[in-house]
Amino acid sequence: MAEVELKPLQAFPSNKLEGNVAISGDKSISHRAVILGSMAVGETKIKGLLESDDVLATINAVRLLGATVNRNSNGSYSIFGVGTGGFFEPENIIDCGNSGTAVRLLVGAVATTPIATIFTGDASLRSRPMDRIIEPLRGFGTEFHGRKSNLLPMTVIGTDEPVPQLYKLPVASAQVKSAIILAGLNAPGQTTVIEEKATRDHTERMLKAFGAGINIEETEAGTAITIDGYAELEPLEMKVPSDPSSAAFIVSAALVVENSSIVVRNIGMNPTRTGLFKTLEEMGANLQYEWVDNDSGEPLAHVHARSSDLKGVEVPKERAPSMIDEYPILAVVAALAEGKTVMRGVKELRVKETDRIKAMVEGLTSCGVRVTEYEDGLTVYGKGKGSVKGAAMVKTHFDHRIAMSFLCLGLAAEKPVIVDDGTSINTSFPEFVGIMENLGARIGSYQDNTK
Ligand code: S3P
């Protein structure tokens, strides 16, 4: 939750979105690039790193842990890592801001180094559950002293005699999987994480590129990811793909605003991330992909989206991990499709930056959309393009994806939609408003004169 001055924004009904745009780097990959770079010995060079508040928090954290991070004049970053097990005890508290990925991955990274680190975050992060990482990391021998036992601020006392782990994930979470893998890098022997449902595998792909010993095997219990301990990571040069979770807003807006045709370039198309695109296609979206040869270790494509008449669908529950951050924008698209869209099996949305089920239900209802809420999801009853009234002030609960979703709704509603705060957008996609305006979207600041 924001501890800064709020800036309401409003999005006006727009005629068309048109253009060809490049967007910033993938947030998940950027966090991992900074953390793994800080655990390698020597200089890791990163092009296209996302410079959003979340990633800047991770950069600040690895600096406090002893890595050197330089921003070069061409905008690339150089990270001089300290090696696995080489982190220094930080002289100050590590503030991860709004970022669950930053804190959960960093806690894993320090868990098997004998230092004490204190983590905190903003009001949203301080309310999010940490037991999902505490429980498996305790197995290594790490000590945790959190507020109310499992909340930030939390002191993590890394162990100097780590015990390697075999752990089956009880929730489909790439953050938890990655925390355990990162802890395993500085433990003896091998650490194995088993996941039943595939979650984003950027950590695994990147570790291979850094030269770690990692083995991935299909077993009866699920996918077993085994990492060799006492890893020596070799620094590398990499280019971060553009973020499919940010592209999701532009693509979705183009589908629901009449007469639109846009291209978003070099989007990461890792199959563990592209569930939204698949769902939109099932709804009848006109999407085309131009695949781009590259050596980032991740598939890339230019994504072309044109206005489409969409119909409601039932999203398969097993698709949830591959589009977990995209349910808010899908709920907006669903409101402008014909028929009902059912999104179930997504209880995890209740513990994101805010309770995203509640935030979408409240926001859509205030814009005149019929919605049913369940403990594990929502159903949106869409009436097609042009059917949403808008004319509402939506509470974002300082959640960047709620803010961007409702601004996209405003572009295709009858009347403007106002979001109570746009500053949260800086956590993941600082150029969002500028890029949308260049494509023809009408988005502006909002002055509440009734106060
Ligand atoms: C992320 C994993 C997901 C996602 C988050 C980023 C990551 O969280 O919601 O935005 O980079 O590992 P969970 O692992 O909690 O599902």
Side-chain angles (χ1 to χ4, degrees), residues 364-384:
L364 286 173
T365 306
S366 69
C367 289
V369 180
R370 195 178 138 217
V371 189
T372 308
E373 178 175 2
Y374 312 99
E375 185 49 30
D376 72 338
L378 66 161
T379 292
V380 176
Y381 300 84
K383 292 206 202 134

Side-chain angles (χ1 to χ4, degrees), residues 154-228:
M154 185 167 76
T155 301
V156 180
I157 305 191
T159 172
D160 59 354
E161 287 184 359
V163 181
Q165 294 297 297
L166 166 62
Y167 189 78
K168 183 158 185 221
L169 292 178
V171 274
S173 165
Q175 292 175 354
V176 178
K177 171 176 68 174
S178 301
I180 300 166
I181 293 175
L182 292 174
L185 287 176
N186 195 40
Q190 291 185 318
T191 286
T192 300
V193 187
I194 299 174
E195 64 176 5
E196 248 174 280
K197 291 187 191 153
T199 63
R200 64 193 69 193
D201 61 356
H202 306 302
T203 306
E204 296 91 306
R205 287 175 188 247
M206 206 182 283
L207 273 168
K208 262 185 211 153
F210 272 96
I214 180 163
N215 182 53
I216 299 168
E217 211 181 325
E218 294 311 321
T219 70
E220 263 174 32
T223 306
I225 302 131
T226 299
I227 181 86
D228 294 345

Side-chain angles (χ1 to χ4, degrees), residues 67-357:
T68 301
V69 182
N70 295 332
R71 187 183 195 277
N72 303 313
S73 52
N74 63 0
S76 71
Y77 278 78
S78 290
I79 306 199
F80 298 86
V82 291
T84 43
F87 286 141
F88 304 161
E89 190 162 82
E91 282 181 8
N92 205 345
I93 293 176
I94 291 184
D95 186 346
C96 292
N98 190 245
S99 179
T101 307
V103 72
R104 296 201 177 108
L105 269 56
L106 286 162
V107 168
V110 300
T112 48
T113 300
I115 56 172
T117 314
I118 307 170
F119 289 93
T120 192
D122 70 5
S124 154
L125 195 58
R126 292 197 306 272
S127 73
R128 294 178 67 185
M130 294 297 145
D131 30 356
R132 52 181 60 199
I133 52 166
I134 294 175
E135 205 243 325
L137 294 175
R138 269 206 178 117
F140 285 94
T142 311
E143 263 184 56
F144 294 88
H145 302 279
R147 181 175 59 90
K148 294 189 182 163
S149 89
N150 72 339
L151 297 177
L152 301 181
M154 185 167 76
T155 301
V156 180
I157 305 191
T159 172
D160 59 354
E161 287 184 359
V163 181
Q165 294 297 297
L166 166 62
Y167 189 78
K168 183 158 185 221
L169 292 178
V171 274
S173 165
Q175 292 175 354
V176 178
K177 171 176 68 174
S178 301
I180 300 166
I181 293 175
L182 292 174
L185 287 176
N186 195 40
Q190 291 185 318
T191 286
T192 300
V193 187
I194 299 174
E195 64 176 5
E196 248 174 280
K197 291 187 191 153
T199 63
R200 64 193 69 193
D201 61 356
H202 306 302
T203 306
E204 296 91 306
R205 287 175 188 247
M206 206 182 283
L207 273 168
K208 262 185 211 153
F210 272 96
I214 180 163
N215 182 53
I216 299 168
E217 211 181 325
E218 294 311 321
T219 70
E220 263 174 32
T223 306
I225 302 131
T226 299
I227 181 86
D228 294 345
Y230 294 142
E232 283 179 29
L233 305 186
E234 295 150 18
L236 49 77
E237 287 189 19
M238 72 172 98
K239 168 118 182 59
V240 179
S242 295
D243 198 325
S245 297
S246 296
F249 297 103
I250 305 174
V251 165
S252 300
L255 296 177
V256 297
V257 173
E258 297 285 10
N259 309 312
S260 298
S261 174
I262 60 98
V263 178
V264 206
R265 292 200 297 278
N266 296 312
I267 301 305
M269 295 294 286
N270 181 318
T272 61
R273 296 288 297 282
T274 49
L276 175 75
F277 296 146
K278 206 181 282 172
T279 305
L280 292 173
E281 280 168 25
E282 288 171 3
M283 296 174 86
N286 184 342
L287 292 181
Q288 278 163 353
Y289 311 100
E290 190 188 322
W291 295 91
V292 182
D293 269 346
N294 80 103
D295 54 10
S296 72
E298 298 274 350
L300 283 193
H302 305 316
V303 181
H304 194 155
R306 295 181 180 86
S307 326
S308 306
D309 290 324
L310 303 172
K311 58 180 189 338
V313 291
E314 181 161 348
V315 184
K317 288 181 183 169
E318 57 285 1
R319 194 175 290 161
S322 68
M323 52 180 289
I324 194 67
D325 293 334
E326 280 65 76
Y327 283 88
I329 187 61
L330 177 62
V332 160
V333 171
L336 295 154
E338 288 274 357
K340 68 177 184 181
T341 294
V342 183
M343 295 164 262
R344 302 291 300 263
V346 285
K347 211 168 152 211
E348 274 294 295
L349 296 182
R350 296 212 179 263
V351 290
K352 293 293 176 190
E353 285 82 331
T354 187
D355 177 343
R356 286 182 173 162
I357 295 175

Side-chain angles (χ1 to χ4, degrees), residues 13-75:
S14 301
N15 294 333
K16 66 171 176 185
L17 302 179
E18 203 170 34
N20 183 320
V21 289
I23 63 167
S24 46
D26 187 276
K27 179 154 74 72
S28 290
I29 295 177
S30 295
H31 283 298
R32 287 158 173 82
V34 172
I35 294 172
L36 289 181
S38 75
M39 296 174 88
V41 179
E43 180 180 2
T44 291
K45 285 192 186 154
I46 310 167
K47 280 193 195 147
L49 190 80
L50 171 64
E51 294 179 301
S52 75
D53 289 351
D54 274 16
V55 177
L56 296 178
T58 293
I59 291 177
N60 183 46
V62 301
R63 281 188 175 135
L64 280 164
L65 288 163
T68 301
V69 182
N70 295 332
R71 187 183 195 277
N72 303 313
S73 52
N74 63 0

